[in-house]
Amino acid sequence: TTLLRARGLVRSYGLTPALRGVTIDLGEGEILAVTGPSGCGKSTLLHCLAGILRPDAGEVEYREHRIDTWSEAARSRLRRTEFGVLFQFGQIVPELTAAENVALPLLLAGTGRREARTAALSWLDRLGVADLADSRPGQMSGGQQQRCALARALITEPRVLFADEPTGALDSLTGEQVLGQLVRVAREQRTSVVLVTHEPRVAAYADRELALRDGQLDPTGLGLAESLPG
Ligand code: ADP
Ligand code: ADP
């Protein structure tokens, strides 16, 4: 079944067109890669799908509710409860420990401290970084920080995870390890994933790939993954 659906999305920044009519569906539990060169509109598409940005035209439906017309407050609430986001840079708070960072979304949602910490420790353990619970980001590697950011994105058990170049700041081995964990956990939780990337190796982890070119779906349908040898 379709969880998230966008029809004819158009979005410009001033005179710069970023999306020129994009239509996509995301199935329940599906891992969808959105690929294409820098500047083709991937981030803009992700932001429109996640309700961060409003399209100029077109519509976004989540579980058959049209969400692009919702108020900022309503979209923000939807993001906190149903969606998780992971960006290129860990966006984790340097003053807080790993466990505190991961617990943050639950604390903001009103969960008690003890319960939030227990959940955070369990997520850190699931991502193989339990030993870092009381470390601060400054003491962690990029890959370790990104695992914390992933744990924080997933602790609310979102139905959709939006990941924008999640491995872009990591070396390729570390990036593949983090991605492997992202995909494993998404499958276990049946979390749908929109994975924005310009890297063929990253796209190969997805169930399906949509290639964007100049703000439109590439009509050849030939994405990056297909151009990989083997
Ligand atoms: P990608 O994620 O594929 O690199 P983006 O969605 O970031 O593509 O950008 C699509 C186009 O929109 C590019 O031409 C980019 O320069 C432009 N753009 C993106 N964000 C902004 C912004 N905040 N202001 C002006 N132009 C922007
Ligand atoms: P990506 O890594 O997804 O391609 P960028 O590094 O191009 O994203 O953009 C990072 C931030 O800068 C985003 O918030 C994007 O909206 C904004 N941005 C991108 N292009 C422009 C632009 N031409 N003018 C202003 N802001 C931009």
Side-chain angles (χ1 to χ4, degrees):
T1 43
T2 298
L3 194 60
L4 188 65
R5 161 174 300 172
R7 293 275 170 266
L9 291 185
V10 173
R11 183 61 155 88
S12 298
Y13 300 95
L15 295 175
T16 309
L19 296 178
R20 301 188 297 159
V22 175
T23 292
I24 73 167
D25 288 314
L26 177 70
E28 217 171 315
E30 183 176 35
I31 300 181
L32 176 69
V34 176
T35 63
S38 182
C40 70
K42 303 183 298 296
S43 291
T44 304
L45 175 59
L46 180 138
H47 287 120
C48 287
L49 293 174
I52 297 167
L53 203 61
R54 270 192 171 143
D56 300 327
E59 46 193 68
V60 181
E61 271 182 16
Y62 174 68
R63 301 177 72 194
E64 297 178 357
H65 297 283
R66 187 162 172 193
I67 60 169
D68 59 288
T69 52
W70 287 8
S71 67
E72 175 53 41
R75 284 179 287 125
S76 166
R77 185 168 183 285
L78 178 74
R79 290 198 298 275
R80 283 198 311 274
T81 55
E82 305 279 299
F83 296 166
V85 288
L86 182 65
F87 295 108
Q88 176 166 4
F89 297 105
Q91 81 276 79
I92 53 180
V93 184
E95 291 79 12
L96 301 181
T97 65
E100 289 166 345
N101 265 288
V102 174
L104 213 49
L106 290 185
L107 294 172
L108 293 174
T111 304
R113 288 204 158 266
R114 189 180 296 266
E115 192 185 331
R117 179 168 168 89
T118 303
L121 294 178
S122 141
W123 272 100
L124 286 168
D125 187 39
R126 216 162 149 185
L127 292 171
V129 285
D131 52 325
L132 296 174
D134 297 312
S135 306
R136 283 175 216 280
Q139 304 163 271
M140 299 190 265
S141 71
Q144 291 169 338
Q145 291 187 33
Q146 202 57 336
R147 281 166 216 241
C148 290
L150 179 59
R152 195 176 69 176
L154 293 173
I155 197 168
T156 56
E157 300 186 6
R159 281 179 177 248
V160 187
L161 175 67
F162 294 94
D164 193 349
E165 301 280 7
T167 63
L170 306 175
D171 66 71
S172 61
L173 178 62
T174 306
E176 296 221 14
Q177 287 169 347
V178 171
L179 203 59
Q181 289 190 315
L182 186 160
V183 168
R184 174 177 57 80
V185 175
R187 300 260 185 241
E188 288 166 4
Q189 305 273 120
R190 269 187 74 68
T191 307
S192 304
V193 181
V194 178
L195 179 60
V196 159
T197 183
H198 67 277
E199 295 180 80
R201 269 196 305 225
V202 173
Y205 282 78
D207 299 319
R208 185 159 63 97
E209 178 181 357
L210 289 177
L212 270 184
R213 296 285 180 274
D214 291 332
Q216 292 185 304
L217 290 181
D218 190 340
T220 68
L222 289 177
L224 296 163
E226 285 90 338
S227 68
L228 272 184

